[in-house]
Amino acid sequence: MTENKANVIDGKALAAKIRAEAAVEAGRILTERGRRPKLCVIIAGDNQASKVYVRNKQKACVDCGIESETVELPGTVTREELFEIIDQKNGDVTVDGILVQLPLPGGIDEKEIIARISPEKDVDCFHPVNVGRVYTGDPVFLPCTPAGIIELLKFAGVEIKGANCVVVGRSNIVGKPVGALLLAENGTVTIAHSKTKDLKKVTKEADILVAAIGKAKFFTKDYIKPGAAVIDVGMDRDEEGKLCGDVDFDDVISVCGAITPVPGGVGPMTVAMLMKNTIKAAKGK
Ligand code: NAP
Protein backbone atom coordinates (compact mmCIF):
# COMPACT_ATOMS: atom_id res chain seq x y z
CA MET A 1 0.00 0.00 0.00
CA THR A 2 1.28 3.51 -0.84
CA GLU A 3 2.02 5.66 2.16
CA ASN A 4 -0.29 8.65 2.12
CA LYS A 5 1.47 11.89 2.98
CA ALA A 6 -0.77 14.27 1.09
CA ASN A 7 -2.27 17.19 2.94
CA VAL A 8 -6.07 16.88 2.82
CA ILE A 9 -7.20 20.51 2.84
CA ASP A 10 -10.07 20.99 5.29
CA GLY A 11 -12.48 23.36 3.54
CA LYS A 12 -15.07 22.91 6.26
CA ALA A 13 -12.70 24.18 8.96
CA LEU A 14 -11.56 27.16 6.90
CA ALA A 15 -15.15 27.99 5.92
CA ALA A 16 -16.17 27.88 9.61
CA LYS A 17 -13.41 30.37 10.43
CA ILE A 18 -14.50 32.76 7.66
CA ARG A 19 -18.13 32.45 8.72
CA ALA A 20 -17.17 33.22 12.33
CA GLU A 21 -15.38 36.37 11.13
CA ALA A 22 -18.46 37.33 9.12
CA ALA A 23 -20.61 36.83 12.24
CA VAL A 24 -18.44 39.26 14.20
CA GLU A 25 -18.79 41.85 11.43
CA ALA A 26 -22.54 41.28 11.20
CA GLY A 27 -22.81 41.88 14.96
CA ARG A 28 -20.86 45.11 14.59
CA ILE A 29 -23.16 46.31 11.80
CA LEU A 30 -26.20 45.47 13.94
CA THR A 31 -24.81 47.54 16.83
CA GLU A 32 -23.93 50.48 14.61
CA ARG A 33 -27.05 50.59 12.44
CA GLY A 34 -29.71 48.82 14.43
CA ARG A 35 -30.24 46.29 11.66
CA ARG A 36 -28.52 43.19 10.39
CA PRO A 37 -26.92 42.88 6.94
CA LYS A 38 -29.45 41.33 4.57
CA LEU A 39 -29.14 38.96 1.63
CA CYS A 40 -32.01 38.50 -0.80
CA VAL A 41 -32.01 35.24 -2.78
CA ILE A 42 -34.30 34.93 -5.78
CA ILE A 43 -35.11 31.42 -6.97
CA ALA A 44 -37.41 30.44 -9.83
CA GLY A 45 -38.70 27.01 -10.80
CA ASP A 46 -38.38 23.59 -9.30
CA ASN A 47 -34.72 22.63 -9.70
CA GLN A 48 -34.04 20.38 -6.69
CA ALA A 49 -30.28 21.03 -6.62
CA SER A 50 -30.94 24.78 -6.66
CA LYS A 51 -33.31 24.39 -3.70
CA VAL A 52 -30.58 22.59 -1.73
CA TYR A 53 -28.05 25.33 -2.56
CA VAL A 54 -30.52 28.02 -1.47
CA ARG A 55 -31.24 26.22 1.80
CA ASN A 56 -27.48 26.03 2.49
CA LYS A 57 -27.17 29.76 1.90
CA GLN A 58 -30.14 30.50 4.20
CA LYS A 59 -28.59 28.37 6.93
CA ALA A 60 -25.23 30.09 6.56
CA CYS A 61 -26.96 33.47 6.89
CA VAL A 62 -28.64 32.39 10.12
CA ASP A 63 -25.29 31.14 11.50
CA CYS A 64 -23.60 34.45 10.62
CA GLY A 65 -26.33 36.74 11.92
CA ILE A 66 -27.19 37.88 8.41
CA GLU A 67 -30.86 38.33 7.62
CA SER A 68 -31.95 36.27 4.66
CA GLU A 69 -34.97 36.80 2.47
CA THR A 70 -35.90 34.26 -0.18
CA VAL A 71 -38.16 35.18 -3.08
CA GLU A 72 -39.55 31.94 -4.53
CA LEU A 73 -41.06 32.21 -7.98
CA PRO A 74 -42.78 29.68 -10.22
CA GLY A 75 -41.06 28.23 -13.29
CA THR A 76 -43.46 30.28 -15.42
CA VAL A 77 -42.01 33.60 -14.24
CA THR A 78 -41.32 36.10 -17.04
CA ARG A 79 -38.27 38.32 -17.57
CA GLU A 80 -40.44 41.39 -16.86
CA GLU A 81 -41.55 39.98 -13.50
CA LEU A 82 -37.94 39.21 -12.60
CA PHE A 83 -36.88 42.71 -13.62
CA GLU A 84 -39.60 44.18 -11.41
CA ILE A 85 -38.50 42.20 -8.36
CA ILE A 86 -34.82 42.97 -8.91
CA ASP A 87 -35.58 46.69 -9.39
CA GLN A 88 -37.51 46.69 -6.13
CA LYS A 89 -34.66 44.98 -4.22
CA ASN A 90 -32.09 47.29 -5.86
CA GLY A 91 -34.04 50.23 -4.43
CA ASP A 92 -34.58 48.72 -0.97
CA VAL A 93 -31.96 50.20 1.39
CA THR A 94 -32.43 47.32 3.85
CA VAL A 95 -31.24 44.80 1.21
CA ASP A 96 -27.44 44.66 0.99
CA GLY A 97 -26.90 41.72 -1.33
CA ILE A 98 -29.00 40.23 -4.14
CA LEU A 99 -28.43 36.82 -5.68
CA VAL A 100 -30.38 35.11 -8.44
CA GLN A 101 -30.00 31.35 -8.14
CA LEU A 102 -29.01 29.82 -11.48
CA PRO A 103 -30.09 28.11 -13.63
CA LEU A 104 -33.24 30.08 -14.40
CA PRO A 105 -36.14 28.34 -16.14
CA GLY A 106 -35.63 27.81 -19.87
CA GLY A 107 -36.21 30.74 -22.19
CA ILE A 108 -35.02 33.41 -19.78
CA ASP A 109 -31.77 35.13 -20.70
CA GLU A 110 -29.71 34.75 -17.51
CA LYS A 111 -27.15 37.37 -18.58
CA GLU A 112 -29.87 39.98 -18.95
CA ILE A 113 -31.27 39.17 -15.50
CA ILE A 114 -27.86 39.26 -13.77
CA ALA A 115 -27.07 42.58 -15.47
CA ARG A 116 -30.22 44.04 -13.88
CA ILE A 117 -28.82 43.60 -10.35
CA SER A 118 -27.17 46.72 -9.01
CA PRO A 119 -23.37 46.06 -9.16
CA GLU A 120 -23.10 47.25 -5.53
CA LYS A 121 -25.46 44.44 -4.45
CA ASP A 122 -24.09 41.74 -6.77
CA VAL A 123 -22.61 39.48 -4.08
CA ASP A 124 -22.15 36.57 -6.52
CA CYS A 125 -19.86 38.84 -8.58
CA PHE A 126 -21.54 37.80 -11.82
CA HIS A 127 -22.50 41.29 -13.06
CA PRO A 128 -20.37 42.30 -16.09
CA VAL A 129 -19.14 45.41 -14.26
CA ASN A 130 -17.87 43.30 -11.36
CA VAL A 131 -16.43 40.66 -13.70
CA GLY A 132 -14.55 43.44 -15.51
CA ARG A 133 -13.23 44.81 -12.22
CA VAL A 134 -11.82 41.38 -11.34
CA TYR A 135 -9.98 41.22 -14.68
CA THR A 136 -8.60 44.76 -14.43
CA GLY A 137 -7.29 44.07 -10.93
CA ASP A 138 -9.69 46.50 -9.21
CA PRO A 139 -12.34 44.23 -7.72
CA VAL A 140 -15.15 45.29 -5.40
CA PHE A 141 -16.38 41.72 -4.84
CA LEU A 142 -14.49 38.53 -5.57
CA PRO A 143 -16.36 35.64 -7.23
CA CYS A 144 -17.24 33.17 -4.45
CA THR A 145 -15.97 29.79 -5.68
CA PRO A 146 -12.75 31.16 -7.24
CA ALA A 147 -11.99 33.31 -4.18
CA GLY A 148 -12.63 30.28 -1.97
CA ILE A 149 -10.07 28.32 -4.00
CA ILE A 150 -7.41 30.99 -3.50
CA GLU A 151 -8.13 30.98 0.25
CA LEU A 152 -7.84 27.18 0.35
CA LEU A 153 -4.44 27.27 -1.36
CA LYS A 154 -3.16 29.93 1.04
CA PHE A 155 -4.56 28.06 4.03
CA ALA A 156 -2.68 24.94 2.89
CA GLY A 157 0.54 26.92 2.53
CA VAL A 158 0.71 26.37 -1.24
CA GLU A 159 2.76 29.07 -2.95
CA ILE A 160 0.90 30.45 -5.98
CA LYS A 161 3.54 32.97 -7.00
CA GLY A 162 5.54 31.49 -9.87
CA ALA A 163 3.63 28.20 -9.74
CA ASN A 164 2.50 26.51 -12.91
CA CYS A 165 -1.30 26.60 -12.50
CA VAL A 166 -3.57 24.57 -14.76
CA VAL A 167 -7.33 25.13 -14.59
CA VAL A 168 -9.42 22.56 -16.43
CA GLY A 169 -12.80 24.07 -17.34
CA ARG A 170 -13.53 27.53 -18.75
CA SER A 171 -16.98 28.42 -17.43
CA ASN A 172 -17.73 32.02 -16.48
CA ILE A 173 -18.58 30.90 -12.94
CA VAL A 174 -15.48 28.84 -12.16
CA GLY A 175 -12.77 28.24 -14.77
CA LYS A 176 -12.23 31.73 -16.22
CA PRO A 177 -12.38 33.69 -12.94
CA VAL A 178 -10.16 31.15 -11.13
CA GLY A 179 -7.64 31.71 -13.91
CA ALA A 180 -7.87 35.49 -13.38
CA LEU A 181 -7.39 35.22 -9.61
CA LEU A 182 -4.45 32.81 -9.92
CA LEU A 183 -2.85 35.22 -12.40
CA ALA A 184 -3.44 38.11 -9.98
CA GLU A 185 -1.56 36.02 -7.38
CA ASN A 186 1.37 35.76 -9.84
CA GLY A 187 0.75 32.18 -10.94
CA THR A 188 1.57 31.16 -14.51
CA VAL A 189 -1.84 30.13 -15.74
CA THR A 190 -3.09 27.72 -18.39
CA ILE A 191 -6.82 27.23 -18.90
CA ALA A 192 -7.66 23.89 -20.51
CA HIS A 193 -11.05 22.73 -21.80
CA SER A 194 -12.73 20.03 -23.84
CA LYS A 195 -10.84 20.98 -27.03
CA THR A 196 -7.42 20.91 -25.36
CA LYS A 197 -5.05 18.50 -27.07
CA ASP A 198 -3.31 15.92 -24.89
CA LEU A 199 -4.86 17.07 -21.61
CA LYS A 200 -2.73 14.68 -19.56
CA LYS A 201 0.45 16.27 -20.87
CA VAL A 202 -0.86 19.71 -19.87
CA THR A 203 -2.05 18.73 -16.38
CA LYS A 204 1.13 16.73 -15.66
CA GLU A 205 2.99 20.06 -15.75
CA ALA A 206 0.75 21.59 -13.07
CA ASP A 207 2.09 22.53 -9.64
CA ILE A 208 -1.50 23.57 -8.93
CA LEU A 209 -4.35 21.79 -10.70
CA VAL A 210 -7.90 23.11 -10.49
CA ALA A 211 -10.40 20.54 -11.77
CA ALA A 212 -13.74 22.09 -12.79
CA ILE A 213 -15.31 20.02 -15.55
CA GLY A 214 -18.30 18.32 -13.92
CA LYS A 215 -17.21 14.73 -14.72
CA ALA A 216 -17.14 12.29 -11.80
CA LYS A 217 -13.65 11.02 -10.83
CA PHE A 218 -12.24 11.99 -14.24
CA PHE A 219 -8.76 12.93 -13.01
CA THR A 220 -6.75 9.87 -12.00
CA LYS A 221 -3.13 9.90 -10.87
CA ASP A 222 -2.01 9.71 -14.52
CA TYR A 223 -3.00 13.38 -14.83
CA ILE A 224 -1.09 14.57 -11.77
CA LYS A 225 2.46 15.83 -11.29
CA PRO A 226 3.92 14.26 -8.13
CA GLY A 227 3.55 16.68 -5.22
CA ALA A 228 0.99 18.91 -6.96
CA ALA A 229 -1.77 20.72 -5.11
CA VAL A 230 -5.12 19.50 -6.47
CA ILE A 231 -8.28 21.56 -6.03
CA ASP A 232 -11.43 19.63 -6.89
CA VAL A 233 -14.35 21.91 -7.74
CA GLY A 234 -16.59 19.17 -9.14
CA MET A 235 -19.90 18.32 -7.48
CA ASP A 236 -20.80 15.11 -9.24
CA ARG A 237 -22.44 11.77 -8.50
CA ASP A 238 -20.61 8.46 -8.71
CA GLU A 239 -22.13 5.25 -10.07
CA GLU A 240 -23.86 4.68 -6.69
CA GLY A 241 -25.31 8.19 -6.67
CA LYS A 242 -22.90 9.38 -3.98
CA LEU A 243 -21.54 12.93 -4.07
CA CYS A 244 -18.01 13.03 -5.48
CA GLY A 245 -15.69 15.37 -7.32
CA ASP A 246 -13.96 15.54 -10.70
CA VAL A 247 -10.89 13.95 -9.11
CA ASP A 248 -10.51 10.29 -8.24
CA PHE A 249 -9.52 11.11 -4.67
CA ASP A 250 -8.42 7.61 -3.59
CA ASP A 251 -6.17 7.25 -6.64
CA VAL A 252 -4.72 10.79 -6.72
CA ILE A 253 -3.95 11.04 -3.01
CA SER A 254 -1.04 8.64 -3.46
CA VAL A 255 0.84 11.08 -5.72
CA CYS A 256 -0.31 14.64 -4.95
CA GLY A 257 1.06 16.95 -2.25
CA ALA A 258 -2.28 18.43 -1.22
CA ILE A 259 -5.89 17.82 -2.20
CA THR A 260 -9.37 19.10 -1.40
CA PRO A 261 -12.00 16.43 -0.63
CA VAL A 262 -15.56 16.34 -1.96
CA PRO A 263 -17.59 16.98 0.11
CA GLY A 264 -15.79 19.25 2.55
CA GLY A 265 -13.43 21.13 0.23
CA VAL A 266 -14.45 23.86 -2.19
CA GLY A 267 -18.22 23.61 -1.56
CA PRO A 268 -18.30 25.06 1.98
CA MET A 269 -15.88 27.79 0.91
CA THR A 270 -18.24 29.03 -1.80
CA VAL A 271 -20.95 29.72 0.77
CA ALA A 272 -18.47 31.24 3.24
CA MET A 273 -17.22 33.67 0.59
CA LEU A 274 -20.81 34.62 -0.17
CA MET A 275 -21.24 35.59 3.49
CA LYS A 276 -18.04 37.62 3.27
CA ASN A 277 -19.31 39.44 0.16
CA THR A 278 -22.64 40.19 1.84
CA ILE A 279 -20.80 41.81 4.75
CA LYS A 280 -18.72 43.75 2.26
CA ALA A 281 -21.84 44.95 0.45
CA ALA A 282 -23.36 46.09 3.75
CA LYS A 283 -20.19 47.91 4.75
CA GLY A 284 -19.94 49.59 1.37
CA LYS A 285 -22.94 51.81 2.13
P1 NAP B 1 -19.66 23.90 -16.97
O1 NAP B 1 -20.20 25.27 -17.18
O2 NAP B 1 -20.41 22.72 -17.45
O3 NAP B 1 -18.21 23.88 -17.65
C1 NAP B 1 -17.47 22.70 -17.73
C2 NAP B 1 -16.15 23.02 -18.38
O4 NAP B 1 -15.39 21.81 -18.40
C3 NAP B 1 -16.25 23.49 -19.83
O5 NAP B 1 -15.37 24.57 -20.02
C4 NAP B 1 -15.84 22.27 -20.65
O6 NAP B 1 -15.14 22.59 -21.82
C5 NAP B 1 -14.89 21.58 -19.70
N1 NAP B 1 -14.85 20.14 -19.93
C6 NAP B 1 -15.88 19.27 -19.92
N2 NAP B 1 -15.45 18.02 -20.16
C7 NAP B 1 -14.11 18.11 -20.34
C8 NAP B 1 -13.09 17.17 -20.60
N3 NAP B 1 -13.36 15.86 -20.77
N4 NAP B 1 -11.82 17.61 -20.70
C9 NAP B 1 -11.52 18.92 -20.55
N5 NAP B 1 -12.44 19.87 -20.27
C10 NAP B 1 -13.72 19.46 -20.17
O7 NAP B 1 -19.36 23.62 -15.46
P2 NAP B 1 -19.09 24.61 -14.20
O8 NAP B 1 -20.32 25.38 -13.89
O9 NAP B 1 -17.81 25.33 -14.38
O10 NAP B 1 -18.91 23.52 -13.06
C11 NAP B 1 -17.90 22.53 -13.09
C12 NAP B 1 -18.07 21.61 -11.89
O11 NAP B 1 -17.93 22.37 -10.70
C13 NAP B 1 -19.46 20.96 -11.78
O12 NAP B 1 -19.31 19.67 -11.22
C14 NAP B 1 -20.19 21.87 -10.82
O13 NAP B 1 -21.24 21.20 -10.14
C15 NAP B 1 -19.09 22.23 -9.90
N6 NAP B 1 -19.27 23.49 -9.17
C16 NAP B 1 -19.02 23.46 -7.85
C17 NAP B 1 -19.11 24.62 -7.10
C18 NAP B 1 -18.80 24.56 -5.65
O14 NAP B 1 -19.11 25.49 -4.93
N7 NAP B 1 -18.17 23.49 -5.18
C19 NAP B 1 -19.47 25.83 -7.70
C20 NAP B 1 -19.70 25.83 -9.09
C21 NAP B 1 -19.58 24.66 -9.81
P3 NAP B 1 -15.81 23.39 -23.08
O15 NAP B 1 -15.89 24.81 -22.64
O16 NAP B 1 -14.86 23.16 -24.19
O17 NAP B 1 -17.17 22.77 -23.28
Side-chain angles (χ1 to χ4, degrees):
M1 211 177 119
T2 323
E3 199 187 339
N4 170 18
K5 287 187 187 148
N7 172 13
V8 178
I9 308 171
D10 189 346
K12 256 173 107 173
L14 180 57
K17 182 173 166 278
I18 291 168
R19 280 161 67 152
E21 286 163 6
V24 170
E25 291 296 320
R28 205 167 281 160
I29 290 167
L30 174 62
T31 309
E32 283 168 10
R33 302 188 191 164
R35 72 164 184 86
R36 297 183 182 282
K38 184 167 165 183
L39 173 66
C40 175
V41 178
I42 300 168
I43 176 169
D46 218 24
N47 184 314
Q48 291 311 308
S50 292
K51 287 187 174 182
V52 172
Y53 296 145
V54 168
R55 270 203 299 276
N56 286 342
K57 289 167 192 175
Q58 289 169 329
K59 192 177 167 301
C61 282
V62 172
D63 287 354
C64 295
I66 293 172
E67 195 182 331
S68 93
E69 177 192 0
T70 306
V71 181
E72 282 183 69
L73 301 164
T76 52
V77 70
T78 63
R79 73 191 269 279
E80 287 73 20
E81 285 163 342
L82 278 164
F83 280 169
E84 203 181 314
I85 290 161
I86 292 169
D87 290 347
Q88 193 223 323
K89 301 301 171 194
N90 281 340
D92 183 341
V93 290
T94 70
V95 172
D96 300 294
I98 303 170
L99 175 163
V100 176
Q101 185 65 44
L102 302 179
L104 285 170
I108 293 185
D109 180 350
E110 290 179 348
K111 284 189 178 155
E112 198 179 45
I113 300 299
I114 297 300
R116 193 79 171 198
I117 299 171
S118 163
E120 292 74 36
K121 298 191 179 189
D122 168 42
V123 285
D124 256 343
C125 194
F126 290 167
H127 189 289
V129 166
N130 287 322
V131 173
R133 283 174 179 156
V134 168
Y135 281 85
T136 53
D138 188 25
V140 172
F141 297 113
L142 290 174
C144 300
T145 304
I149 290 169
I150 301 294
E151 293 293 327
L152 283 163
L153 288 167
K154 290 183 176 171
F155 176 64
V158 176
E159 172 133 76
I160 304 172
K161 184 177 162 189
N164 205 7
C165 308
V166 175
V167 178
V168 192
R170 56 173 160 179
S171 71
N172 290 328
I173 292 175
V174 187
K176 284 183 205 161
V178 170
L181 296 191
L182 288 166
L183 186 60
E185 295 286 338
N186 296 312
T188 302
V189 179
T190 302
I191 301 186
H193 45 77
S194 71
K195 309 292 184 294
T196 297
K197 285 184 187 147
D198 201 349
L199 184 63
K200 265 185 200 162
K201 187 162 171 263
V202 176
T203 59
K204 272 257 186 197
E205 295 291 317
D207 302 312
I208 297 172
L209 175 68
V210 179
I213 67 171
K215 301 237 157 86
K217 299 185 183 178
F218 179 94
F219 293 95
T220 55
K221 65 176 182 226
D222 305 345
Y223 286 83
I224 312 295
K225 178 179 176 179
V230 179
I231 303 291
D232 190 352
V233 188
M235 295 231 285
D236 314 312
R237 297 274 161 194
D238 66 13
E239 44 304 321
E240 285 152 23
K242 235 177 89 190
L243 183 64
C244 70
D246 289 348
V247 176
D248 186 338
F249 185 92
D250 293 336
D251 195 41
V252 166
I253 197 163
S254 61
V255 293
C256 69
I259 186 166
T260 58
V262 178
V266 175
M269 286 302 292
T270 297
V271 182
M273 300 315 278
L274 175 67
M275 299 299 107
K276 197 170 171 175
N277 277 350
T278 305
I279 296 293
K280 185 152 202 207
K283 281 170 133 183
K285 286 187 197 153

